[in-house]
Amino acid sequence: MDKQGISNRLVLLLAVACGAAVANMYYAQPLLHTIARAFHVSDATAGLLVTVTQVGYVLGLAFLVPLGDLLERRRLISTTLLVVALAQAVAAASQGFALFAAALGVVGVSSVVAQVIVPMSSSLAADSERGRVVGRVMSGLLIGILVARTVSGLLAGAFGWRTVFVLAAAAMVVLSVALWRALPEVPATADIGYWSALRSVLALVRQEPLLRQRMALGAVAFGCFSVLWTSLAFLLSGPHYQYGNTVIGLFGLAGLAGALAAPVAGRMADRGHGRLAATFSILILLGSWALLVLGETSLPALVLGIVALDLGVQALHISNQSTIYTLHAEARSRLNTAYMVAYFLGGAAASAASSALYASAGWGGVCVLGAAVSCVGLVIWAVTEWLSSRAPATGTPQRARSAA
C-alpha cells in the first residue's frame, strides 16, 4: 500500500477479514430447527435468534462503528475481533436458550467490526479505484455471509452444532493477530468527541437527501434478504423437502451469484452508472419472489429464486455504499453507521415478521411479505429520483448524486 492506493494483497486480506467477521451473524440460521430441539423451544422462538443477532448488530452500528473515525483503526479492529471470539465461545458452551441468545446478541454487536473495515478500505484506496476496492472487500463480506450457512451446515452435520461456534471463536483469534501484524496504523480522521460524533451522524442524515434515499433502499434490500433466510430452514426441513443440516447449509452456495455481482456494481459506480445499477437491482429483487413462491414445491424454482434475490440484494447494497462514500471523505465511518443502522433495522423487522408469518401463513405468506417489501423499494426509488430531478442543480447533495 502506498499513497497511490492499496495493494491487492491487503485488499484480499481485508475481504477475508470482512467475510469471516460477518459470517458470525449467520452460522445459526441453517441450524434453527436443530437449536430449537436442543433447547426445547418452538421454531418461532428459535427464529427470534436471527432478530436478536440483528438487533445487536444495529446497536453495534450505532455506538461502535462511529469510533472508526475517532480511534486508530488497527487496534480497534483487532480488539473487537477478540470480543467476537469470546462471545462465540460462550455460545458454544451455553446450556440454556437465554444465555445462548444473549451470547449471539454480543456476537451481533461486535461483528460490526466488518463495517469498520469497509470504510477504512475506502479511505486507503485511491479515488479512481474506490468503487472497485469497496466492491472487492464487500465481495469477501458477502461470500462470508453465504458460505457461513454452508460451513455451518456441514460442520453441524459431521460434528454437532456446538462445533460451529467453537471453530468460529478460534477463527476470530487468528484473524485478530493477522490483522494486527498486516495492517498499517490507520489514524483517526475526525478530531471530535464520541458524543459529538454520534450527534453528527444524525446531522448527516438531516443534511443529505441522498443518504436518506440509500438508507431506505438498504432497509428494503436487507429486509428481503432476511425474509428469505429466516424462514428457508423451516421450509427445507419441513414435510416436502425433509432436508438435514448438511443439505440446508449447501443452499447458501446458491447465493454466491450475489457476491459475484458486487465488483460489477462497484465498477459501475466508478464509471458513473450507480443509478442504473440500483434500478436493475430493485427489479431483480421484485422478480425473484415470483420464483420463490413456486419454490415451495419446486427445487429448481427455489434455487433460481435464491440466486436472483441475493444478486439483487448485493448489487443494490454495493451501489448504495459506493454512492454514500462520495459525500464526506472525513466521515465515512459515520455515513456507514447511518446507512447500516437503517439496513439492519430493516432486516431485524423483516426477520421477526417472517418468523411469525411462516408459523401462521406458511411459505406463501412469507413470499407475499417479500414481494411487498420489494414493491416498497421500487416506490421509494421512483419517488426520490423524481424529487431529486426537480431539485436545484447546486449543493453537495447534487454533486454527490451526479457522482453516483
Side-chain angles (χ1 to χ4, degrees):
M1 196 252 326
D2 55 35
K3 292 184 179 180
Q4 299 304 312
I6 182 172
S7 71
N8 288 332
R9 184 175 181 178
L10 185 52
V11 172
L12 177 61
L13 176 59
L14 293 175
V16 170
C18 272
V22 80
N24 291 287
M25 295 274 295
Y26 300 96
Y27 290 133
Q29 286 191 3
L31 310 178
L32 291 175
H33 60 295
T34 299
I35 292 170
R37 290 198 300 269
F39 290 115
H40 308 291
V41 298
S42 68
D43 285 348
T45 300
L48 291 176
L49 290 172
V50 179
T51 303
V52 168
T53 311
Q54 290 177 348
V55 169
Y57 204 82
V58 169
L59 292 174
L61 289 167
F63 296 105
L64 292 185
V65 171
L67 292 173
D69 289 335
L70 309 181
L71 301 178
E72 196 280 307
R73 276 170 275 187
R74 181 179 65 170
R75 184 180 300 275
L76 175 62
I77 289 168
S78 294
T79 301
T80 307
L81 286 171
L82 293 178
V83 175
V84 183
L86 178 60
Q88 289 287 38
V90 171
S94 297
Q95 297 302 310
F97 183 79
L99 180 59
F100 183 78
L104 289 194
V106 176
V107 167
V109 172
S110 48
S111 291
V112 297
V113 65
Q115 300 303 329
V116 176
I117 294 172
V118 173
M120 182 186 69
S121 69
S122 176
S123 298
L124 293 174
D127 291 343
S128 61
E129 65 178 1
R130 182 161 293 117
R132 178 180 62 82
V133 168
V134 170
R136 289 177 63 188
V137 173
M138 284 299 300
S139 289
L141 186 149
L142 303 175
I143 290 171
I145 291 173
L146 298 167
V147 173
R149 298 182 180 87
T150 301
V151 170
S152 179
L154 292 172
L155 288 174
F159 304 108
W161 67 269
R162 292 185 186 273
T163 305
V164 175
F165 301 96
V166 171
L167 294 179
M172 292 302 98
V173 174
V174 171
L175 261 179
S176 176
V177 175
L179 288 171
W180 178 262
R181 293 171 61 88
L183 278 176
E185 287 194 9
V186 186
T189 58
D191 186 18
I192 58 176
Y194 176 69
W195 294 109
S196 295
L198 294 185
R199 288 193 294 270
S200 72
V201 173
L202 299 177
L204 287 168
V205 175
R206 288 195 303 269
Q207 295 164 8
E208 299 291 355
L210 182 60
L211 176 59
R212 294 195 298 273
Q213 178 201 53
R214 297 302 177 134
M215 287 169 66
L217 292 179
V220 165
F222 199 56
C224 287
F225 188 89
S226 296
V227 167
L228 170 65
W229 289 103
T230 298
S231 295
L232 184 62
F234 300 135
L235 173 69
L236 295 177
S237 63
H240 182 76
Y241 290 105
Q242 298 184 24
Y243 292 151
N245 288 331
T246 300
V247 177
I248 292 173
L250 290 174
F251 275 77
L253 298 178
L256 285 176
L260 299 177
V264 176
R267 286 194 293 270
M268 289 183 71
D270 285 340
R271 296 169 183 171
H273 302 306
R275 293 165 70 187
L276 182 63
T279 301
F280 279 117
S281 300
I282 297 169
L283 293 175
I284 291 171
L285 265 184
L286 182 58
S288 68
W289 292 105
L291 291 168
L292 288 168
V293 72
L294 299 176
E296 184 170 12
T297 56
S298 170
L299 182 60
L302 183 64
V303 172
L304 288 174
I306 293 171
V307 169
L309 184 135
D310 278 359
L311 192 153
V313 168
Q314 309 309 350
L316 181 56
H317 183 44
I318 297 303
S319 173
N320 290 341
Q321 286 197 307
S322 297
T323 298
I324 66 170
Y325 290 155
T326 65
L327 294 174
H328 298 281
E330 78 286 355
R332 289 194 175 112
S333 282
R334 283 167 286 159
L335 289 166
N336 203 43
T337 291
Y339 171 73
M340 292 303 298
V341 165
Y343 188 80
F344 272 87
L345 281 175
S351 67
S354 179
S355 180
L357 198 58
Y358 189 86
S360 61
W363 183 251
V366 167
C367 291
V368 169
L369 173 64
V373 174
S374 302
C375 286
V376 169
L378 187 60
V379 171
I380 290 171
W381 178 241
V383 170
T384 54
E385 283 297 285
W386 179 76
L387 291 174
S388 68
S389 70
R390 296 172 60 86
T394 57
T396 300
Q398 295 297 317
R399 289 196 300 272
R401 188 179 66 245
S402 298

